[in-house]
Amino acid sequence: LSCAVIGTTWGIQGRTFDGSSLINIDSVLPSLASATTGTFEVWVKLPDTTPASNSDFIGFGDASALELIIFRIRATGFLEFNCYKAGVQQWTLRTTVAPLTDDVFHHLFAVQDGVSPVIYVDNSAPAQAFTDQTDKTAWFSNLAGLDTGRMGCANYDNNGNIEFLTGTEGEVRIYTRALSSAEKQHNYLATKWRYQ
């Protein structure tokens, strides 16, 4: 699959996003369309973990409607993983603490196991809670309108590219299954040396 890199710079620990750059990953959508479970994985380092506005690590959306699956950091420093279907919020999961540290790499997983989403930071689940839970099982297979994929921002609901990230992302992986505990631990430990 191909992607379009717009403005990000490449370094030995990943791609650096400057608050206006992005990577277009629309091409992965056909592979995700029938997925009922999945995992987003990424190493991130942010210069400011309480950004001026919400900033997206990975975002999938409908360019012309309110339909999306997004993993982001909020201006409060809390992490958020959420899903809208046809304008209706299906679920929103947020950490209840700000788990990241400025200028430090952290390993993140956002997992949908087909029952309920979970966020992991450095291979453990910080305190988190749902603010919306209409249907906690919703995932790509339920969202027929998704037509945009982005790293470093999102694109949905006639907004164009928005919610840009300032920071570095490395080892980005998107799976069509929920990784097991052993797999998450393996990936964390196998890549950790690059981000010390």
Side-chain angles (χ1 to χ4, degrees), residues 167-190:
T168 302
E169 293 191 28
E171 308 284 338
V172 178
R173 296 181 180 133
I174 299 170
Y175 298 85
T176 56
R177 60 189 177 85
L179 296 188
S180 68
S181 295
E183 288 173 317
K184 290 197 296 291
Q185 182 177 30
H186 173 270
N187 288 5
Y188 171 62
L189 295 175

Side-chain angles (χ1 to χ4, degrees), residues 79-82 91-95 111 116-119 128-132:
L79 299 181
E80 181 177 88
F81 189 26
N82 69 0
W91 48 263
T92 299
L93 177 64
R94 290 183 191 150
T95 61
V111 181
S116 183
V118 183
I119 296 168
Q128 54 198 277
F130 286 93
T131 60
D132 298 280

Side-chain angles (χ1 to χ4, degrees), residues 3 8 10 13-17 22-25 28 32 39-45 56-60 71 105-110 149-153 165 167-175 179 187 191 194-195:
C3 60
T8 68
W10 171 251
Q13 293 177 308
R15 290 274 180 183
T16 298
F17 297 82
L22 64 96
I23 299 177
N24 179 315
I25 55 171
V28 306
L32 299 172
T39 304
F40 297 166
E41 177 181 5
V42 60
W43 279 92
V44 299
K45 181 169 91 170
D56 301 338
F57 306 122
I58 299 170
F60 293 95
F71 185 36
F105 269 106
H106 293 278
H107 187 251
L108 309 181
F109 284 112
R150 300 289 185 269
M151 290 169 46
C153 74
L165 182 76
T168 302
E169 293 191 28
E171 308 284 338
V172 178
R173 296 181 180 133
I174 299 170
Y175 298 85
L179 296 188
N187 288 5
T191 57
R194 293 188 187 104
Y195 301 98

Side-chain angles (χ1 to χ4, degrees), residues 79-142:
L79 299 181
E80 181 177 88
F81 189 26
N82 69 0
C83 174
Y84 273 83
K85 175 184 175 182
V88 178
Q89 196 154 29
Q90 300 300 295
W91 48 263
T92 299
L93 177 64
R94 290 183 191 150
T95 61
T96 57
V97 295
L100 307 187
T101 303
D102 291 358
D103 288 317
V104 173
F105 269 106
H106 293 278
H107 187 251
L108 309 181
F109 284 112
V111 181
Q112 168 58 285
D113 65 3
V115 177
S116 183
V118 183
I119 296 168
Y120 296 88
V121 178
D122 299 328
N123 207 36
S124 64
Q128 54 198 277
F130 286 93
T131 60
D132 298 280
Q133 47 188 321
T134 302
D135 179 2
K136 292 192 292 185
T137 70
W139 198 236
F140 285 89
S141 64
N142 306 108

